[in-house]
Amino acid sequence: MKIKALVVLALAGTLAACMSGPSVSPVEITRFHQSAATAQLGNGTIFVEDAPGAEADPQELAPYKAAIAAELAELGYREVPRAEASQIAQVRVERFVSQPAQRRSPVTVGGGGSTGTYGSGVGLGIGINLGGGQREMIGTDLGVVIRDAASSDVIWEGRASISVSDNSEFADSIANASVVADALFSEFPGNNGETVEVRVSN
């Protein structure tokens, strides 16, 4: 009986861990660019600003702009004041919380019977309420448009989306911004019109 009880308790701990562990989706990214303008990308001067009509709070947008500026610098851009920039990177961010569609019912793990094992004469009736259910998910949609400063023509556009559970390290806006920006500018400028997924280690 003691052996069975230990097995049940171990199973309960495993299931509880599975239900409450951090969850991180791959970053889904899509990029667009003009073939004729590809030579302009990844070099020269650039200024990072809020996209026109962006509704995100400036404090919420700040870590994403900083992460994007860092990625652009790695690519070969030099960030300068707007009046001196040859290109403009416009950033928009939307973050939202998704409530679980349906909470799972509590799970009872155990066995019942009139006779226990090994002649104990006691039924194994251990009931364990795991509860917990699904966690809230925090979604992020990031969009970046790079324009030619002189003509305002769009020469590159990228979009990235990720969803993480509220107990993930990437729920934090700074960590979230870093991982999403890194994925968006991976293998820059990317294939025109292609949507790919970049997996993230939690």
Side-chain angles (χ1 to χ4, degrees):
M1 174 184 172
K2 289 183 179 179
I3 294 176
K4 281 198 172 184
L6 288 173
V7 170
V8 171
L9 290 172
L11 176 61
T14 301
L15 290 174
C18 291
M19 294 173 70
S20 61
S23 174
V24 180
S25 75
V27 184
E28 184 178 279
I29 58 175
T30 306
R31 281 84 65 93
F32 303 92
H33 55 80
Q34 298 181 16
S35 299
T38 302
Q40 296 177 247
L41 296 169
N43 60 81
T45 55
I46 198 163
F47 178 76
V48 180
E49 66 179 16
D50 299 1
E55 298 180 357
D57 182 275
Q59 291 186 338
E60 184 176 88
L61 195 56
Y64 293 89
K65 291 169 65 177
I68 289 164
E71 292 294 330
L72 293 172
E74 287 188 13
L75 292 173
Y77 282 104
R78 183 167 58 90
E79 190 176 9
V80 297
R82 197 183 200 286
E84 302 173 20
S86 61
Q87 296 175 36
I88 307 295
Q90 298 177 328
V91 182
R92 65 167 182 80
V93 175
E94 181 183 0
R95 300 196 78 194
F96 51 90
V97 176
S98 298
Q99 299 290 338
Q102 184 177 358
R103 294 281 183 181
R104 294 179 181 174
S105 300
V107 178
T108 300
V109 178
S114 58
T115 304
T117 318
Y118 305 114
S120 64
V122 180
L124 180 64
I126 301 174
I128 301 172
N129 188 344
L130 299 182
Q134 300 175 356
R135 300 194 68 95
E136 290 182 341
M137 300 295 289
I138 300 173
T140 303
D141 290 335
L142 171 68
V144 180
V145 173
I146 298 178
R147 297 179 181 272
D148 177 79
S151 65
S152 293
D153 290 342
V154 176
I155 56 179
W156 185 89
E157 180 178 358
R159 305 167 190 168
S161 298
I162 191 173
S163 183
V164 305
S165 58
D166 59 5
N167 62 338
S168 166
E169 63 181 293
F170 299 118
D172 173 76
S173 60
I174 294 177
N176 189 278
S178 179
V179 74
V180 175
D182 179 72
L184 183 59
F185 288 98
S186 62
E187 299 182 8
F188 183 81
N191 295 324
N192 186 38
E194 182 181 59
T195 297
V196 298
E197 291 186 345
V198 177
R199 297 198 173 275
V200 177
S201 298
N202 196 21

